[in-house]
Amino acid sequence: MSNGIRRLAIEPLTQERFSDFGDVIETENRDYFMINNGSTRRYHRLADTDVDEQQGQAIISIFQAMPLKYPLTIAMLERHPLGSQAFIPLLGQPYLIVVAKKGDTPSLTECRAFISNGRQGVNYHKGVWHHPVLTLTENDQFLVVDRAGDGHNCDEVFFDEHLVSLHLDDIPQ
């Protein structure tokens, strides 16, 4: 810890570790069934889209993101109170995830950081606090499934104390 900023451990992303925050979207060790006359594996219902509140609609977008400067001080989190939000990497690049549990006010002292192997997406459950996309490579792309519709669906909280930081040399090998 330096300057009162706690260094956040970065954990490998697994469904077990991430279950308090949402779903890990991946095929490894997941059930499937064959379709299309036996030529295709269907990994069915890896995550549920939760967007119906206030007559919301599911939409699909592509985000193209640039890496931030590391070490990164985490001083804000956001949540989507009316719908889930899924990020599926399109270019196979690892990326970071910072989350905190649902609640009226997130706590940086209880937030967790994960690294995706680049073949894993995440589906944040409705109301889960998270940092905006944290790519590690230039022009990384994500397929995003989230909510459109009436109502306020993005809360942001900015912090000026109990900050945490992410360091790339803490990524597990």
Side-chain angles (χ1 to χ4, degrees), residues 144-157:
V144 178
V145 180
D146 62 354
R147 180 189 182 279
D150 293 338
H152 176 77
N153 192 35
C154 186
D155 297 329
E156 296 178 327
V157 172

Side-chain angles (χ1 to χ4, degrees), residues 63-133:
F63 288 14
Q64 184 166 321
M66 299 297 287
L68 300 176
K69 185 177 178 187
Y70 293 91
L72 175 68
T73 299
I74 304 296
M76 73 83 65
L77 294 173
E78 67 180 25
R79 71 173 175 181
H80 305 287
L82 301 180
S84 59
Q85 187 178 47
F87 285 80
I88 299 109
L90 293 177
L91 303 180
Q93 300 297 325
Y95 63 98
L96 296 170
I97 301 140
V98 173
V99 289
K101 289 185 181 179
K102 291 180 185 182
D104 291 336
T105 305
S107 169
L108 285 180
T109 59
E110 295 178 7
C111 70
R112 292 175 66 186
F114 300 93
I115 184 154
S116 165
N117 63 19
R119 295 176 311 281
Q120 300 165 301
V122 294
N123 182 46
Y124 299 119
H125 287 172
K126 180 170 50 177
V128 166
W129 293 97
H130 60 277
H131 193 279
V133 66

